[in-house]
Amino acid sequence: MTTALVESMQELSLQDPPVAGEAECMIVQFKIAGVGSFELELESDVAVRDVKKLAKEQCNIEPEHMRLVYKGRQLKEADSLECYDSKAGEPIQLFFTAGHVSMMGGVGGTGGGRRANVPPQRNPFSAPVRGLPGSKGLRSSRVSGRPGGMALIRKYGILMKRQEFREKAQEIGFVKYR
């Protein structure tokens, strides 16, 4: 009895037992349209939400503004990189939403350029009382950064295009009674 106990105690160790299906490391290529590309060394079972956090260090885009697309399919947050084939050489495309840029105060004029002699808007959430200087077309949406014109909702400082407001109204706290 004591010999069996001694043998079982010797078999115990603090080291983890080797796992047969351990994830392998691979080089994953990322491509950002118009910016460039970079590579990360990742395990195949890492979640996409963690990949976005690691990619932020390389491209300075916040993870909530990233979309990862591989072979024409958008990767969801809970997906893993098991579908990625490192031998194929096809990169994961990294797209970023307009929210990443539009928080800087939107675009300039209707042509998308800077306005002459007008400093950039410092805080897009506190618009001047009389709006931005210039014509109506120079006001831009705080969600997409697109120029507004007549379809921009300005009441209560919302500054969103009509369709964007319809999508975000419940999140903001507006209730539709009809």
Side-chain angles (χ1 to χ4, degrees), residues 31-36 38 52 55-56 59-69 74 92-104 143-144:
K31 183 174 186 332
I32 306 172
V35 178
F38 62 92
K52 289 181 178 183
K56 178 191 183 294
C59 61
N60 293 327
I61 299 172
E62 294 297 324
E64 57 265 16
H65 299 298
M66 288 184 197
R67 287 186 307 138
L68 300 179
V69 177
Q74 183 172 345
I92 294 178
Q93 295 177 325
L94 194 146
F95 295 102
F96 58 96
T97 60
H100 180 66
V101 176
S102 69
M103 297 309 286
M104 297 301 292
V143 174
S144 64

Side-chain angles (χ1 to χ4, degrees), residues 13-70:
S13 69
L14 296 176
Q15 297 173 350
D16 292 332
V19 179
E22 199 169 304
E24 58 191 47
C25 285
M26 59 183 171
I27 303 286
V28 180
Q29 298 175 350
F30 292 90
K31 183 174 186 332
I32 306 172
V35 178
S37 61
F38 62 92
E39 293 179 346
L40 291 174
E41 186 173 341
L42 301 169
E43 294 180 355
S44 61
D45 64 346
V46 69
V48 170
R49 72 175 72 80
D50 298 328
V51 172
K52 289 181 178 183
K53 291 174 187 173
L54 294 170
K56 178 191 183 294
E57 298 168 3
Q58 296 288 327
C59 61
N60 293 327
I61 299 172
E62 294 297 324
E64 57 265 16
H65 299 298
M66 288 184 197
R67 287 186 307 138
L68 300 179
V69 177
Y70 182 62

Side-chain angles (χ1 to χ4, degrees), residues 85-142:
D85 182 15
S86 59
K87 295 175 182 71
E90 187 173 343
I92 294 178
Q93 295 177 325
L94 194 146
F95 295 102
F96 58 96
T97 60
H100 180 66
V101 176
S102 69
M103 297 309 286
M104 297 301 292
V107 298
T110 54
R114 287 261 315 128
R115 291 177 283 218
N117 301 326
V118 177
Q121 185 180 356
R122 293 285 181 223
N123 184 358
F125 296 108
S126 64
V129 176
R130 296 182 180 222
L132 299 174
S135 68
K136 294 178 200 170
L138 293 180
R139 295 186 190 110
S140 56
S141 165
R142 71 168 50 154

Side-chain angles (χ1 to χ4, degrees), residues 1-2 6 28 34 50 71 74 83 89 117 120 127 135 158 160 168:
M1 170 101 169
T2 58
V6 170
V28 180
D50 298 328
K71 292 187 177 178
Q74 183 172 345
C83 65
N117 301 326
S135 68
I158 292 174
M160 290 176 146
K168 303 266 184 200

Side-chain angles (χ1 to χ4, degrees), residues 76-88:
K76 296 180 177 57
E77 296 285 323
D79 287 348
S80 65
L81 290 181
E82 291 173 348
C83 65
Y84 183 75
D85 182 15
S86 59
K87 295 175 182 71

